[in-house]
Amino acid sequence: MRRYRRLKHVAVSGVVVALLSTGGAVADPSIPFLPSPPPLPDLSEPIRWANPTKVEASPGVATQVTRIPLGSFDRPAAGVAAAPAVAERYSRGAKARTLSVTRESTAPFSAVGVTWKEAGRIGAVTVAVRHHVPGGAWSAWRTVDAGEADRDTAPGRAQRGGAELVWTGRADGVQLAVTTTGGPAPHDIAADLIDPAEAASDTVPAAPVTESQLVGLRPSMPTILRRASWGANEQQMDWRPQYAPYVKAVALHHTATGNDYTPEDVPKILRSIYQYQTVSRGWGDIGYNVLVDRFGRLWEGRSGGLSRPVVGAQAGGFNTGTAGIAMIGDYRSVAVPQVVQEAAAQYTAWKLSLHQAIDPRGSVSLTGGGSTSKYPVGTTVTVPRVFPHQQTNPTECPGAKGLATLPWIRDRAGALLGDLVKPELVRTLLAVYRPSDGTVHLQGVPEPVFTSAPNEIPVAADYNGDGRSDVATWSPTTGNWTMLLSGEGYRTIQWGLPGDVPAPADFDGDGTAELAVFRPATGIWYIKGIGEVQLGVPGDVPVPADYTGDGRAEVAIWRPSTGLWAIKALREFKVGGPGQFVAPADYDGNGTIDAATWSPATQQFTIDGQPAIRFGGAAGQPVSAQYDGDGRADPAVFHDGRFDIRGAGGYDVGAPGDIAMPLS
C-alpha cells in the first residue's frame, strides 16, 4: 500500500528530529544485543520477499495428487478412449471429439482439475466429471468450461491451460470426459485428482476480531483469515510478489467449484484451488487476492500483503492495478447469499480506501490486453471500478447471478467509504506525541488515545498489515516498542539498545513493518526476523524506504554533514545538506519514494530530480505525506502544535513541544 510507505517515513522524520536535536547517544559495544538471526551475506538482491524461500517457508498442509494422463485427441493415452455418447450429451457441436476415462477405484480425492499443454487460446473445451462417493454411488455429472489463463505471461515459466476446478467432496473413483468442439484442440491433457488432506484447524472456527482502533476516517480492514488458517503450503509457491502503484479497481469472480460445501470444507477447497493454480497450471501461487465463502468469511489468497497493491491473476491482461475477489461457489444460476455480498463490499471499500480517493460507483480506464483477454496488448478500456471478470476476458465469470450483485456491492462499498471518495478531503489522521507525559493526541479528540512513557520516540507504522498506521513509540532507555495494534490492543516488544535509532519499515514486502534499529556506533542495522545489515557511520540518519517501487523498503542512510544519501546495493547521491531535515515521500505519485530534505532556513523542500518547493516557516518538523486523495505526497510542516499542509490548509493539533505523528 503506497500511502503506508509514505506515512511510515513521517515517523522516520520524527525520529530524525529527536536524534538531531539531542545529538544522539552512542551505544556501548560491550553490551550484547538481543539474539538475532545470522547476518545476511549479500544485499545485492532484496533482503527477502514474502514467503521467501522453499527451505524457510511453512509446509502448511501437504496435499496429495493423483495424475491421470489423457494424452491428445489424435493420440489418446493408454486406457483413454473416445466416447460418442458422452460427446453427444456434453458437446456443443456436431464435430465434437471426446476423450473419456473411467477409474472405478482411485486414491482418495476431493477435487478434479483438468489441464493441457497450451496456455493460450484453443477452441471450445468442455469437461464433464462425475465421482464415486466412498461406500455409496456415483454422483451426477457436472460440466465446466475452460478457465482463463489469468496469470499474465512470465518469461521462462511453463504455464498450462485448464478447465475450471471441480470440487467433488470426498471421492474414491472418477469418470471424465473432455470434449472439444472446433478450433485448435488442446494436447497433453491430464486430470489431477487433488486430495487436500485433513487438518485439525479445518474444524476450528475463526476467533472473532474486535477492533481496538483510534477514531478513523477509513473503513477498517474486515476480518480476513490468513493463508496459515487454510494451510497454504508455502514451499510450493515460487511466484515472487509484484506490485502496482495502487489498486484502482476490483474484479469480481466466482470459482465455479460448486455450492454444496460445509464450513469445514472451505480450507480444503482453498488448498485444492491453491494446488491447482500453483502447481497444476504452473502459476506459482493462487491467483485471487482474497476469496469469500458462502458463509461470508473472507480468506487471504495471493501472497505479498493484504494491504499491498499485489499483482494477482484475476483478469489476464489487466492484473496490474486491480485486485481480485473470488466468491467460492457457482453463481451461474444460484443467487449470491447476502453475507457474501456484504463481505465483498467491505473488502472493496477497505481496499479502495488505501490510496487515492476512489469511488467504487465510478469507472476507470485500464490499459492492458494480451494474455487471454478480449483485447490486444496496449488496449485501453473503460470499466466500472468494481467490474466482472467477463468484462475483460471471454468468460461467463462471475455467472449471471454474480453479475446481478455488482450494483449493490458498488453502492454498499460507496456508503462505507462515505466522504473518503472526495479528493479534497484530508484523509490522514493528524496526531501528535507529547514527550512530557508520553501521550498521543488526535485532532478533535479531547482525551489521549495512547499512553506509553515520557521522552520516547514516535515510530508509527503498519505493524499488523491492515493498511493502517499503528500508534507506537520506542524507548531510548529500554529498547521497548509500545504499540497499539488495530484489532489487537497494546503490545510491548523489546528490540534495540540505548544509543540505537529506531528505523521500522517493510523490508520484506509482506505489508507489515519490521522492528528495526540502526546502531550508529557500528553502522549495523538490526532487523527483527531478517538479520543484520552494515550501512552507515556515526552521525548518519536512517531513512529506509521503497525507493525502487518493488514493494520492499531499502536500507538507506542520509548524512547531514554532506547531504549524501546511500541506498544499500543501489546507489549514492546528494540531496540537501547541513542544517536540513530529511523528508522522503512520493511527491510525484509514481509509487516510489523520492529522497528529499527541508531547510528551516530557506523553508524549501529539495526533492531529488524534481523542482524545489518553498513551503513552511522558520522552524518546524517536515511531515510530508499523502493527506488528500490525489495520490501524491503533500509538502507539510509541523510547528508549535500546528500542521501546515500545502494545498490543504492549517490544522491546530496538540501544543508546542509535541512531535507530529500523522496516521494513515
Side-chain angles (χ1 to χ4, degrees):
M1 191 280 268
R2 302 294 175 190
R3 190 158 60 107
Y4 152 70
R5 287 201 295 278
R6 295 187 197 92
L7 288 168
K8 71 185 177 187
H9 302 303
V10 172
V12 171
S13 297
V15 172
V16 172
V17 169
L19 175 64
L20 296 185
S21 63
T22 62
V26 176
D28 180 351
S30 67
I31 301 176
F33 190 75
L34 296 171
S36 61
L40 295 169
D42 183 11
L43 263 266
S44 60
E45 291 294 324
I47 291 177
R48 69 169 186 166
W49 52 291
N51 306 308
T53 68
K54 294 183 179 181
V55 175
E56 297 172 351
S58 166
V61 179
T63 58
Q64 302 295 322
V65 177
T66 301
R67 172 158 289 191
I68 301 176
L70 277 71
S72 302
F73 289 94
D74 53 350
R75 302 185 73 175
V80 179
V86 175
E88 181 180 350
R89 178 174 181 180
Y90 293 104
S91 69
R92 297 177 175 176
K95 296 182 179 180
R97 292 187 293 166
T98 298
L99 294 176
S100 66
V101 64
T102 299
R103 294 285 189 269
E104 299 281 354
S105 178
T106 67
F109 66 93
S110 296
V112 179
V114 175
T115 65
W116 43 81
K117 179 180 178 180
E118 292 77 10
R121 297 190 185 279
I122 58 170
V125 174
T126 299
V127 174
V129 178
R130 68 172 182 165
H131 65 278
H132 184 264
V133 179
W138 286 88
S139 71
W141 284 96
R142 283 191 55 198
T143 61
V144 291
D145 295 328
E148 292 297 302
D150 280 312
R151 164 134 200 213
D152 294 330
T153 302
R157 172 172 292 280
Q159 299 182 47
R160 288 173 64 85
E164 301 289 359
L165 185 71
V166 176
W167 172 256
T168 62
R170 206 64 176 160
D172 60 4
V174 68
Q175 186 171 0
L176 289 163
V178 181
T179 302
T180 180
T181 57
H187 300 79
D188 185 22
I189 303 167
D192 283 354
L193 311 184
I194 301 172
D195 177 13
E198 300 283 339
S201 59
D202 292 348
T203 58
V204 177
V209 174
T210 56
E211 188 69 21
S212 301
Q213 65 180 38
L214 304 173
V215 175
L217 298 172
R218 288 198 291 102
S220 299
M221 175 182 175
T223 300
I224 303 177
L225 298 163
R226 303 304 176 100
R227 287 165 66 94
S229 299
W230 52 267
N233 181 355
E234 307 294 9
Q235 294 182 3
Q236 292 181 309
M237 192 198 71
D238 62 1
W239 181 6
R240 184 173 180 150
Q242 301 163 295
Y243 300 93
Y246 66 100
V247 169
K248 61 182 74 172
V250 175
L252 186 70
H253 286 254
H254 72 164
T255 61
T257 47
N259 304 306
D260 186 17
Y261 58 85
T262 67
E264 294 76 20
D265 286 334
V266 175
K268 302 181 186 70
I269 294 173
L270 291 168
R271 291 197 293 271
S272 299
I273 295 173
Y274 178 68
Q275 173 73 33
Y276 184 57
Q277 295 185 349
T278 301
V279 180
S280 299
R281 299 204 60 183
W283 291 2
D285 195 2
I286 194 170
Y288 315 114
N289 296 100
V290 296
L291 301 93
V292 56
D293 63 32
R294 69 186 182 95
F295 312 103
R297 299 178 300 178
L298 286 160
W299 301 80
E300 179 182 17
R302 176 84 175 93
S303 67
L306 282 165
S307 65
R308 306 294 302 284
V310 181
V311 177
Q314 67 275 339
F318 296 92
N319 287 318
T320 300
T322 64
I325 179 168
M327 302 178 293
I328 302 174
D330 186 338
Y331 293 110
R332 289 176 291 184
S333 58
V334 175
V336 179
Q338 185 60 39
V339 289
V340 176
Q341 298 181 53
E342 176 66 24
Q346 288 190 17
Y347 172 78
T348 297
W350 171 71
K351 194 68 175 177
L352 294 183
S353 76
L354 297 179
H355 190 82
Q356 298 190 9
I358 294 176
D359 191 334
R361 296 159 295 197
S363 59
V364 63
S365 293
L366 302 176
T367 299
S371 185
T372 55
S373 74
K374 295 178 178 179
Y375 306 98
V377 174
T379 302
T380 297
V381 298
T382 299
V383 301
R385 291 283 188 177
V386 185
F387 68 94
H389 186 200
Q390 64 181 246
Q391 185 135 11
T392 55
N393 299 77
T395 174
E396 294 181 3
C397 181
K401 297 296 185 180
L403 195 65
T405 69
L406 284 167
W408 188 92
I409 291 173
R410 294 177 189 125
D411 287 344
R412 173 61 175 155
L416 290 169
L417 283 164
D419 286 344
L420 277 174
V421 300
K422 300 176 180 178
E424 68 276 9
L425 185 74
V426 173
R427 299 150 60 90
T428 297
L429 294 176
L430 304 181
V432 297
Y433 170 73
R434 185 158 297 162
S436 60
D437 62 6
T439 58
V440 172
H441 299 261
L442 278 178
Q443 179 191 21
V445 179
E447 298 299 323
V449 296
F450 173 93
T451 302
S452 56
N455 300 314
E456 297 195 340
I457 298 173
V459 286
D462 183 3
Y463 294 102
N464 61 358
D466 66 352
R468 170 179 294 172
S469 291
D470 301 299
V471 173
T473 59
W474 182 79
S475 169
T477 59
T478 66
N480 282 340
W481 301 67
T482 304
M483 300 172 282
L484 178 58
L485 304 181
S486 53
E488 301 175 42
Y490 278 89
R491 178 179 297 178
T492 300
I493 302 174
Q494 204 282 329
W495 189 256
L497 292 175
D500 291 348
V501 180
D506 182 8
F507 293 98
D508 62 9
D510 67 353
T512 63
E514 280 74 45
L515 306 187
V517 295
F518 168 64
R519 185 159 298 168
T522 61
I524 296 177
W525 296 58
Y526 297 91
I527 306 173
K528 187 173 176 60
I530 291 179
E532 302 172 8
V533 179
Q534 180 77 52
L535 181 68
V537 299
D540 288 350
V541 176
V543 284
D546 181 8
Y547 296 99
T548 63
D550 66 353
R552 296 174 291 276
E554 283 77 42
V555 171
I557 59 92
W558 179 66
R559 190 160 295 162
S561 61
T562 64
L564 174 73
W565 294 68
I567 303 175
K568 184 71 176 181
L570 288 178
R571 64 188 181 113
E572 295 183 0
F573 56 98
K574 289 189 177 181
V575 174
Q580 299 186 14
F581 298 98
V582 290
D586 182 7
Y587 291 93
D588 57 8
N590 69 349
T592 64
I593 298 301
D594 305 301
T597 61
W598 178 75
S599 168
T602 64
Q603 296 90 57
Q604 181 169 286
F605 284 87
T606 302
I607 307 168
D608 184 33
Q610 300 178 41
I613 298 173
R614 186 179 176 84
F615 186 77
Q621 167 194 355
V623 287
S624 299
Q626 163 61 49
Y627 289 98
D628 56 23
D630 68 357
R632 296 185 298 272
D634 306 294
V637 174
F638 176 80
H639 60 95
D640 298 325
R642 181 180 177 84
F643 284 85
D644 284 323
I645 305 170
R646 187 171 185 257
Y651 301 85
D652 293 324
V653 184
D658 290 350
I659 300 174
M661 188 167 59
L663 304 167
S664 65

